[in-house]
Amino acid sequence: MGWRPRLVSLRTTFAVSFATVTAAVTLLVGFLSYNAAARLVRVDQVSVFDEVVQDLRGEVRQYRMDPEDFSSSAPGHDLVRPARTDVQVLGPDGGIVDKGNPGLPVTGSDRGIAAARTAGQLVVHKDVDVGDDVYRVATVALGGGRGAVQVAQEFSDTEDLLRALQQRTVVLMAAVVVGAGLFGWWLARRITRRLVILTDAAEAVARTRRLGIEVPVTGHDEVGRLGRAFDRMLGRLAQSEEDQRRLVQDAGHELRTPLTSLRTNISLLRRIDELPPDSRAELVADLGQEARELTDLVNELVDLAAGQSDSEPPQRVDLADLAEDVVGLARRRTGREITLRVSGDTAARVRPGMLTRAMSNLVENAAKFDRAGTAPIELVLCGPARGRPGPVRVMVLDRGPGVADSDLDRIFDRFYRAADARSLPGSGLGLSIVREVSLAHGGTPFARCREGGGSVIGFTIGDGDGDGDGAGNGGVTAAGGAAGRG
């Protein structure tokens, strides 16, 4: 099967990453800081030593001085001894006249400097071991073969100090890395706690298939936004599932009526030879009517389901052009006089197929409930003034029996039919499709009784309450006018 790396949690990954970055930065800063500090300390020590040696050379060159002048036992000796500086005086033969503390080694070159005739001659020895310490030694001739003075500066203390500084830096860096790791783990735990809640909620949904699980996520950062978006997504999915369930239940309920009638009529077909001619004709007409109603119901169910889909791409079109096609088709189907009135800017970004279906449903609904009417059915489109934002309002005005006040709030519900309309053909889905199309375009459906009889039913595209009547809108011109179409 091969080896696979073990999956780690986001919390661990975040903590390790945080500690790694902190370690890299700490090591770099610590290394550079230590090198800079060590360089400064060493340069400072060397500068102090060189200054002491140069002062000594200048003094012996300027004045005639003997070994006794530098004796540590003589009061007021001429050489100032800085801290960690050792002085040892040599005689003319290179022997030690005044031993340093600690005593310094004397080499042949040092003896040669002690016998030198020129004052200020110099020999320097680096890294001289004296006991457990390391010194830098400079031997300066007094001149005239009178001897020499050895000056030594201890450097081992400086190196010990730097080693201690190095150790403390390492310990401090280790403490910072560990602290960074702990802080990163705590911070990752605090940040990922809400992600864990989201993960648990998602796993619970996948396990139980229940979409009503509450997601208790707070905050205004990216995780909070993700939690709220996830909660809204679950709400939308739950609502969609509920809508589908209701649609299936309502459709099943509505389909039973025509199917039961069809079954009854089909059972009568077995005895059609026994029926009188009038009953046969009535039976055949009944079957045709039930088949048409069943076909219309299935088509409207398909349209309603398609209306909930966003598969049709939105386009910017003039709704007046769509309305002209709707009016022409409705005239041929119903034989009624249908006029179109347009005002304002009716161009909008919509899904043309859905809008055409919604307007057709409004017109056909008006024709169905006003079968014996003689007054024209009016399709009215009201848009905002050109160049100004605002909703587009689509409405159909008729002079039919109107809608009872108790039914105004329910006529857009699926399969709902008013009491006085249940004897008429139809499924109760036409206005429901209108509502779905309006909501899909950011608008709202509306219905009210029309003054003088009839009803006003329509919807808006975009924002707006849509409450209004074409006759009461001064911007809507009569059919056949300059701005009208009919």
Side-chain angles (χ1 to χ4, degrees), residues 8 10 32 42 194 204 231 234 239 257 259 279-280 314 367 378 389 395 406-407 410 431 434 436 451:
V8 295
L10 180 61
L32 295 177
R42 290 189 179 104
R194 291 175 292 168
D231 192 46
L234 288 181
Q239 182 62 44
T257 300
L259 288 176
S279 298
R280 294 179 188 178
E378 302 176 51
M395 61 188 113
S406 59
D407 295 327
R410 302 190 59 190
L431 294 183
V434 171
E436 297 294 336
E451 185 178 353

mmCIF file of all heavy atoms in Angstrom, residues 8 10 32 42 194 204 231 234 239 257 259 279-280 314 367 378 389 395 406-407 410 431 434 436 451:
data_model
loop_
_atom_site.group_PDB
_atom_site.id
_atom_site.type_symbol
_atom_site.label_atom_id
_atom_site.label_comp_id
_atom_site.label_asym_id
_atom_site.label_seq_id
_atom_site.Cartn_x
_atom_site.Cartn_y
_atom_site.Cartn_z
ATOM 1 N N VAL A 8 -2.223 15.647 10.089
ATOM 2 C CA VAL A 8 -2.213 16.393 11.344
ATOM 3 C C VAL A 8 -3.308 17.435 11.283
ATOM 4 O O VAL A 8 -3.787 17.809 10.217
ATOM 5 C CB VAL A 8 -0.842 17.063 11.582
ATOM 6 C CG1 VAL A 8 0.238 16.017 11.762
ATOM 7 C CG2 VAL A 8 -0.490 17.990 10.424
ATOM 8 N N LEU A 10 -5.148 21.133 11.719
ATOM 9 C CA LEU A 10 -4.797 22.505 11.364
ATOM 10 C C LEU A 10 -4.171 23.216 12.557
ATOM 11 O O LEU A 10 -3.267 24.039 12.402
ATOM 12 C CB LEU A 10 -6.041 23.243 10.883
ATOM 13 C CG LEU A 10 -5.850 24.705 10.473
ATOM 14 C CD1 LEU A 10 -4.885 24.807 9.310
ATOM 15 C CD2 LEU A 10 -7.194 25.333 10.108
ATOM 16 N N LEU A 32 23.184 37.296 14.564
ATOM 17 C CA LEU A 32 23.705 38.602 14.170
ATOM 18 C C LEU A 32 24.017 39.473 15.385
ATOM 19 O O LEU A 32 25.047 40.175 15.417
ATOM 20 C CB LEU A 32 22.689 39.313 13.265
ATOM 21 C CG LEU A 32 22.418 38.650 11.907
ATOM 22 C CD1 LEU A 32 21.346 39.416 11.147
ATOM 23 C CD2 LEU A 32 23.692 38.568 11.081
ATOM 24 N N ARG A 42 35.631 42.656 21.412
ATOM 25 C CA ARG A 42 37.018 42.333 21.068
ATOM 26 C C ARG A 42 37.745 43.569 20.547
ATOM 27 O O ARG A 42 38.907 43.823 20.909
ATOM 28 C CB ARG A 42 37.047 41.218 20.021
ATOM 29 C CG ARG A 42 36.601 39.861 20.569
ATOM 30 C CD ARG A 42 36.865 38.753 19.559
ATOM 31 N NE ARG A 42 36.483 37.454 20.064
ATOM 32 C CZ ARG A 42 35.397 36.788 19.707
ATOM 33 N NH1 ARG A 42 34.548 37.339 18.823
ATOM 34 N NH2 ARG A 42 35.150 35.611 20.214
ATOM 35 N N ARG A 194 -13.690 27.638 16.241
ATOM 36 C CA ARG A 194 -14.913 27.838 15.471
ATOM 37 C C ARG A 194 -14.907 27.000 14.203
ATOM 38 O O ARG A 194 -15.958 26.551 13.736
ATOM 39 C CB ARG A 194 -15.071 29.321 15.138
ATOM 40 C CG ARG A 194 -15.372 30.170 16.367
ATOM 41 C CD ARG A 194 -15.394 31.638 16.029
ATOM 42 N NE ARG A 194 -14.070 32.129 15.666
ATOM 43 C CZ ARG A 194 -13.840 33.310 15.119
ATOM 44 N NH1 ARG A 194 -14.852 34.119 14.840
ATOM 45 N NH2 ARG A 194 -12.627 33.698 14.830
ATOM 46 N N ALA A 204 -22.157 16.370 11.075
ATOM 47 C CA ALA A 204 -23.488 16.002 11.580
ATOM 48 C C ALA A 204 -24.522 16.024 10.463
ATOM 49 O O ALA A 204 -25.402 15.159 10.383
ATOM 50 C CB ALA A 204 -23.906 16.945 12.708
ATOM 51 N N ASP A 231 -24.249 28.792 7.790
ATOM 52 C CA ASP A 231 -25.569 28.732 8.410
ATOM 53 C C ASP A 231 -26.653 29.128 7.414
ATOM 54 O O ASP A 231 -27.713 28.494 7.333
ATOM 55 C CB ASP A 231 -25.596 29.655 9.631
ATOM 56 C CG ASP A 231 -26.818 29.430 10.498
ATOM 57 O OD1 ASP A 231 -27.136 28.264 10.780
ATOM 58 O OD2 ASP A 231 -27.462 30.412 10.894
ATOM 59 N N LEU A 234 -27.147 26.293 4.940
ATOM 60 C CA LEU A 234 -27.983 25.227 5.487
ATOM 61 C C LEU A 234 -29.446 25.643 5.505
ATOM 62 O O LEU A 234 -30.341 24.833 5.216
ATOM 63 C CB LEU A 234 -27.517 24.868 6.906
ATOM 64 C CG LEU A 234 -26.195 24.112 7.014
ATOM 65 C CD1 LEU A 234 -25.886 23.819 8.480
ATOM 66 C CD2 LEU A 234 -26.232 22.815 6.239
ATOM 67 N N GLN A 239 -34.757 25.084 3.337
ATOM 68 C CA GLN A 239 -35.944 25.663 2.708
ATOM 69 C C GLN A 239 -36.203 25.021 1.348
ATOM 70 O O GLN A 239 -37.352 24.743 0.992
ATOM 71 C CB GLN A 239 -35.747 27.169 2.554
ATOM 72 C CG GLN A 239 -36.956 27.892 1.957
ATOM 73 C CD GLN A 239 -38.186 27.767 2.835
ATOM 74 O OE1 GLN A 239 -38.094 27.909 4.044
ATOM 75 N NE2 GLN A 239 -39.329 27.487 2.228
ATOM 76 N N THR A 257 -56.880 13.968 -8.459
ATOM 77 C CA THR A 257 -58.235 14.288 -8.941
ATOM 78 C C THR A 257 -58.416 13.959 -10.420
ATOM 79 O O THR A 257 -59.325 13.192 -10.777
ATOM 80 C CB THR A 257 -58.548 15.765 -8.667
ATOM 81 O OG1 THR A 257 -58.467 15.999 -7.258
ATOM 82 C CG2 THR A 257 -59.940 16.124 -9.166
ATOM 83 N N LEU A 259 -56.543 12.064 -12.293
ATOM 84 C CA LEU A 259 -56.258 10.646 -12.509
ATOM 85 C C LEU A 259 -57.430 9.781 -12.067
ATOM 86 O O LEU A 259 -57.775 8.784 -12.726
ATOM 87 C CB LEU A 259 -54.986 10.246 -11.750
ATOM 88 C CG LEU A 259 -53.664 10.783 -12.328
ATOM 89 C CD1 LEU A 259 -52.496 10.401 -11.420
ATOM 90 C CD2 LEU A 259 -53.432 10.234 -13.733
ATOM 91 N N SER A 279 -74.460 9.933 -24.118
ATOM 92 C CA SER A 279 -73.528 9.601 -23.014
ATOM 93 C C SER A 279 -72.144 9.296 -23.551
ATOM 94 O O SER A 279 -71.130 9.622 -22.928
ATOM 95 C CB SER A 279 -74.070 8.414 -22.222
ATOM 96 O OG SER A 279 -75.311 8.725 -21.630
ATOM 97 N N ARG A 280 -72.104 8.642 -24.743
ATOM 98 C CA ARG A 280 -70.784 8.360 -25.332
ATOM 99 C C ARG A 280 -70.047 9.661 -25.653
ATOM 100 O O ARG A 280 -68.867 9.811 -25.355
ATOM 101 C CB ARG A 280 -70.962 7.543 -26.610
ATOM 102 C CG ARG A 280 -71.514 6.153 -26.403
ATOM 103 C CD ARG A 280 -71.664 5.462 -27.749
ATOM 104 N NE ARG A 280 -72.359 4.194 -27.618
ATOM 105 C CZ ARG A 280 -72.665 3.405 -28.643
ATOM 106 N NH1 ARG A 280 -72.335 3.784 -29.869
ATOM 107 N NH2 ARG A 280 -73.301 2.254 -28.441
ATOM 108 N N PRO A 314 -29.074 35.377 -17.475
ATOM 109 C CA PRO A 314 -29.746 36.682 -17.546
ATOM 110 C C PRO A 314 -29.225 37.511 -18.711
ATOM 111 O O PRO A 314 -28.048 37.441 -19.064
ATOM 112 C CB PRO A 314 -29.410 37.321 -16.194
ATOM 113 C CG PRO A 314 -28.157 36.651 -15.766
ATOM 114 C CD PRO A 314 -28.199 35.261 -16.310
ATOM 115 N N ALA A 367 -57.960 36.118 -18.730
ATOM 116 C CA ALA A 367 -58.914 35.647 -19.738
ATOM 117 C C ALA A 367 -59.753 34.485 -19.219
ATOM 118 O O ALA A 367 -60.948 34.371 -19.524
ATOM 119 C CB ALA A 367 -58.155 35.240 -21.001
ATOM 120 N N GLU A 378 -55.892 44.474 -20.187
ATOM 121 C CA GLU A 378 -54.768 45.404 -20.349
ATOM 122 C C GLU A 378 -53.513 44.831 -19.689
ATOM 123 O O GLU A 378 -53.534 44.457 -18.521
ATOM 124 C CB GLU A 378 -55.097 46.754 -19.728
ATOM 125 C CG GLU A 378 -56.335 47.420 -20.298
ATOM 126 C CD GLU A 378 -56.650 48.706 -19.560
ATOM 127 O OE1 GLU A 378 -55.731 49.541 -19.424
ATOM 128 O OE2 GLU A 378 -57.797 48.852 -19.085
ATOM 129 N N PRO A 389 -32.640 55.055 -11.677
ATOM 130 C CA PRO A 389 -32.875 53.694 -11.187
ATOM 131 C C PRO A 389 -34.281 53.546 -10.640
ATOM 132 O O PRO A 389 -34.928 54.508 -10.230
ATOM 133 C CB PRO A 389 -31.824 53.536 -10.079
ATOM 134 C CG PRO A 389 -31.596 54.940 -9.587
ATOM 135 C CD PRO A 389 -31.745 55.833 -10.802
ATOM 136 N N MET A 395 -48.194 44.495 -14.828
ATOM 137 C CA MET A 395 -49.501 44.200 -14.242
ATOM 138 C C MET A 395 -50.525 43.980 -15.344
ATOM 139 O O MET A 395 -50.388 44.501 -16.463
ATOM 140 C CB MET A 395 -49.934 45.316 -13.302
ATOM 141 C CG MET A 395 -50.099 46.673 -13.930
ATOM 142 S SD MET A 395 -50.373 47.941 -12.679
ATOM 143 C CE MET A 395 -48.865 48.872 -12.848
ATOM 144 N N SER A 406 -60.438 38.211 1.137
ATOM 145 C CA SER A 406 -59.866 37.114 1.923
ATOM 146 C C SER A 406 -58.910 36.256 1.098
ATOM 147 O O SER A 406 -58.115 35.488 1.668
ATOM 148 C CB SER A 406 -60.994 36.230 2.476
ATOM 149 O OG SER A 406 -61.779 35.709 1.406
ATOM 150 N N ASP A 407 -58.989 36.369 -0.241
ATOM 151 C CA ASP A 407 -58.130 35.549 -1.102
ATOM 152 C C ASP A 407 -56.920 36.302 -1.632
ATOM 153 O O ASP A 407 -56.039 35.692 -2.251
ATOM 154 C CB ASP A 407 -58.937 35.023 -2.298
ATOM 155 C CG ASP A 407 -60.034 34.064 -1.867
ATOM 156 O OD1 ASP A 407 -59.816 33.341 -0.874
ATOM 157 O OD2 ASP A 407 -61.099 34.042 -2.519
ATOM 158 N N ARG A 410 -53.536 35.011 -0.671
ATOM 159 C CA ARG A 410 -53.252 33.585 -0.873
ATOM 160 C C ARG A 410 -53.248 33.158 -2.328
ATOM 161 O O ARG A 410 -52.935 32.000 -2.629
ATOM 162 C CB ARG A 410 -54.279 32.742 -0.110
ATOM 163 C CG ARG A 410 -54.322 33.009 1.384
ATOM 164 C CD ARG A 410 -55.179 31.984 2.096
ATOM 165 N NE ARG A 410 -54.676 30.629 1.886
ATOM 166 C CZ ARG A 410 -55.325 29.535 2.230
ATOM 167 N NH1 ARG A 410 -56.526 29.626 2.774
ATOM 168 N NH2 ARG A 410 -54.817 28.348 2.012
ATOM 169 N N LEU A 431 -50.277 31.515 -10.954
ATOM 170 C CA LEU A 431 -49.814 32.673 -10.185
ATOM 171 C C LEU A 431 -48.653 32.317 -9.265
ATOM 172 O O LEU A 431 -47.858 33.184 -8.902
ATOM 173 C CB LEU A 431 -50.980 33.256 -9.380
ATOM 174 C CG LEU A 431 -52.110 33.872 -10.209
ATOM 175 C CD1 LEU A 431 -53.164 34.489 -9.287
ATOM 176 C CD2 LEU A 431 -51.570 34.920 -11.170
ATOM 177 N N VAL A 434 -45.736 32.951 -11.249
ATOM 178 C CA VAL A 434 -45.506 34.396 -11.303
ATOM 179 C C VAL A 434 -44.730 34.854 -10.073
ATOM 180 O O VAL A 434 -43.785 35.652 -10.163
ATOM 181 C CB VAL A 434 -46.849 35.141 -11.415
ATOM 182 C CG1 VAL A 434 -46.632 36.647 -11.258
ATOM 183 C CG2 VAL A 434 -47.518 34.845 -12.747
ATOM 184 N N GLU A 436 -42.731 33.040 -8.142
ATOM 185 C CA GLU A 436 -41.364 32.522 -8.178
ATOM 186 C C GLU A 436 -40.502 33.347 -9.127
ATOM 187 O O GLU A 436 -39.349 33.663 -8.824
ATOM 188 C CB GLU A 436 -41.372 31.049 -8.614
ATOM 189 C CG GLU A 436 -42.095 30.108 -7.682
ATOM 190 C CD GLU A 436 -41.403 29.983 -6.342
ATOM 191 O OE1 GLU A 436 -40.185 30.240 -6.273
ATOM 192 O OE2 GLU A 436 -42.073 29.632 -5.358
ATOM 193 N N GLU A 451 -60.677 49.403 -9.054
ATOM 194 C CA GLU A 451 -61.806 50.306 -8.875
ATOM 195 C C GLU A 451 -62.737 50.205 -10.088
ATOM 196 O O GLU A 451 -62.294 50.251 -11.242
ATOM 197 C CB GLU A 451 -61.303 51.741 -8.715
ATOM 198 C CG GLU A 451 -62.402 52.742 -8.410
ATOM 199 C CD GLU A 451 -61.865 54.145 -8.205
ATOM 200 O OE1 GLU A 451 -60.627 54.298 -8.166
ATOM 201 O OE2 GLU A 451 -62.686 55.066 -8.080
#
